């Protein structure tokens, strides 16, 4: 297999409507496989992408949560596409932007032609809320594989993680979910996640 360089990540564009989704083809002429990164605002989606790409600033992270309001597309090594989905649940976002979020994300899940994997982030310290469960239901409806990523695990002691994990899993309406633990601060879980992505998209 061709070796894969995560550092060769590039920003492509931001899109809102399906007619603006980039359609990037690989050497075989097929659309490149897409991976979506989803979760509430501030959960660490953009930071996780920078961590995967070994980059500090390619993906804009928010000092102002809720700033990522379109679908942000990135390519890696001309082989994979990552889509940083806008986060939900930030109180200060204007109502008209909030209203747009659901249709935009739902349309994306239905319309994307090459979506192969959804990385769904949940903060290890918080129980899922209604919006998290709503997103999971939409995602499950598409039948696209979902991996739950428990983010910011550096914020808990290793001894507290298992209990926190089980408490969250208990609230999710699905069994047999694939999950892993990750910290963009310590990079714990990064290699495991990269391997999982390669495996799931091959
Ligand atoms: N301690 C710690 N902080 C993190 C981690 N990941 C992200 N953060 C911090 O959490 C904040 C939000 O991170 P973002 O990556 O911007 O979150 P987001 O999910 O992209 O948020 P939106 O774009 O608003 O949807 C930033 O201050 C990050 O530095 C982590 O693994 N550990
Ligand atoms: Mg973001």
């Amino acid at each position: 297999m061709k070796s894969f360089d995560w550092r060769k990540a590039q920003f492509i564009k931001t899109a809102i409507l399906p007619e603006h989704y980039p359609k990037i083809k690989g050497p075989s002429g097929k659309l490149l496989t897409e991976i979506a990164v989803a979760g509430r605002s501030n959960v660490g989606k953009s930071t996780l992408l920078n961590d995967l790409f070994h980059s500090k600033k390619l993906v804009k992270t928010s000092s102002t949560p809720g700033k990522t309001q379109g679908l942000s597309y990135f390519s890696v090594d001309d082989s994979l596409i990552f889509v940083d989905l806008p986060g939900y649940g930030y109180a200060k976002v204007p109502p008209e932007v909030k209203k747009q979020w659901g249709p935009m994300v739902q349309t994306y899940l239905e319309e994307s032609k090459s979506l192969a994997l959804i990385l769904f982030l949940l903060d290890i310290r918080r129980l899922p809320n209604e919006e998290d469960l709503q997103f999971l239901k939409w995602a499950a409806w598409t039948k696209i594989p979902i991996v739950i990523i428990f983010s910011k695990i550096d914020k808990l002691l290793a001894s507290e993680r298992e209990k926190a994990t089980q408490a969250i899993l208990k609230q999710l309406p699905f069994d047999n979910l694939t999950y892993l633990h990750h910290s963009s601060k310590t990079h714990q879980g990064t290699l495991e996640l990269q391997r999982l992505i390669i495996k799931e998209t091959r």
Side-chain angles (χ1 to χ4, degrees):
M1 192 188 129
K2 168 179 170 285
S3 71
F4 184 83
D5 189 351
W6 288 91
R7 284 170 212 270
K8 286 194 189 148
Q10 281 180 301
F11 174 67
I12 303 172
K13 72 183 289 196
T14 299
I16 293 176
L17 300 170
E19 52 265 44
H20 301 139
Y21 298 170
K23 296 196 174 48
I24 298 174
K25 291 176 182 165
S28 69
K30 279 207 318 200
L31 283 180
L32 290 186
T33 299
E34 222 162 89
I35 297 145
V37 184
R40 80 172 68 158
S41 186
N42 210 41
V43 71
K45 299 177 294 297
S46 303
T47 311
L48 172 96
L49 284 174
N50 279 326
D51 194 45
L52 285 175
F53 304 161
H54 303 288
S55 142
K56 286 227 175 340
K57 55 181 185 347
L58 179 65
V59 189
K60 281 196 204 89
T61 57
S62 36
S63 42
T64 351
K67 243 185 133 190
T68 322
Q69 280 163 9
L71 314 161
S72 303
Y73 286 77
F74 298 84
S75 66
V76 180
D77 205 5
D78 301 317
S79 302
L80 283 178
I81 304 290
F82 283 84
V83 187
D84 190 7
L85 298 183
Y88 47 83
Y90 184 59
K92 284 186 193 158
V93 171
E96 62 274 18
V97 174
K98 270 191 191 166
K99 248 195 273 167
Q100 208 190 333
W101 182 86
M104 175 168 53
V105 171
Q106 227 176 344
T107 304
Y108 168 75
L109 292 174
E110 287 164 13
E111 297 289 323
S112 170
K113 301 286 179 249
S114 47
L115 181 59
L117 183 64
I118 298 169
L119 306 179
F120 181 58
L121 277 69
L122 289 169
D123 187 320
I124 184 89
R125 299 165 300 169
R126 300 178 71 164
L127 290 176
N129 65 10
E130 272 310 310
E131 287 168 308
D132 292 318
L133 298 176
Q134 178 63 256
F135 176 83
L136 260 187
K137 278 178 204 154
W138 291 344
W141 184 83
T142 64
K143 303 266 194 275
I144 291 160
I146 304 168
V147 174
I148 307 280
I149 302 193
F150 293 109
S151 69
K152 307 195 186 184
I153 55 160
D154 57 279
K155 299 268 197 184
L156 284 188
L157 294 171
S159 59
E160 297 168 330
R161 275 177 212 156
E162 189 50 29
K163 199 170 159 212
T165 302
Q166 292 310 324
I168 296 172
L169 287 175
K170 234 169 86 180
Q171 307 260 317
L172 303 180
F174 307 101
D175 297 322
N176 305 319
L177 283 164
T178 305
Y179 64 86
L180 60 82
H181 293 95
H182 182 261
S183 165
S184 291
K185 200 170 168 190
T186 65
H187 314 294
Q188 195 180 331
T190 305
L191 193 60
E192 196 185 347
L193 178 56
Q194 289 174 331
R195 286 192 181 130
L196 190 143
I197 289 168
I198 301 286
K199 186 172 139 237
E200 291 282 334
T201 55
R202 217 181 350 223

